[in-house]
Amino acid sequence: MDFFCEEARLVVELDGGGHAEPDQTGYDAQRTERLEQMGIRVLRFWNPDVLLNVDGVLQRILESA
């Protein structure tokens, strides 16, 4: 997890290119499923989105909290 807000039960993941690899996508999906089973929402953003559209990323986080 890159960021976790316990109060909002929200995880924010920032994914680099390695997260597009087949082994990593499977691992990420399993971890997301486990977190969701615990009542924790997971938002994923690609690193370029964070760097090039920070306002859009922050808006999506605010809408989810």
Side-chain angles (χ1 to χ4, degrees):
M1 288 180 244
D2 293 298
F3 300 97
F4 174 61
C5 177
E6 185 174 1
E7 183 178 325
R9 309 278 302 154
L10 177 67
V11 165
V12 175
E13 293 274 10
L14 308 179
D15 294 342
H19 287 269
E21 299 295 323
D23 289 343
Q24 187 65 44
T25 58
Y27 172 80
D28 289 346
Q30 288 175 351
R31 189 169 71 159
T32 295
E33 184 177 329
R34 285 193 306 272
L35 290 167
E36 289 174 345
Q37 289 171 351
M38 296 177 357
I40 299 171
R41 291 171 293 141
V42 178
L43 295 179
R44 290 187 170 279
F45 300 97
W46 291 105
N47 287 346
D49 292 334
V50 175
L51 295 172
L52 300 174
N53 185 21
V54 70
D55 290 336
V57 169
L58 291 174
Q59 184 63 37
R60 180 142 179 252
I61 293 169
L62 285 172
E63 290 169 355
S64 296

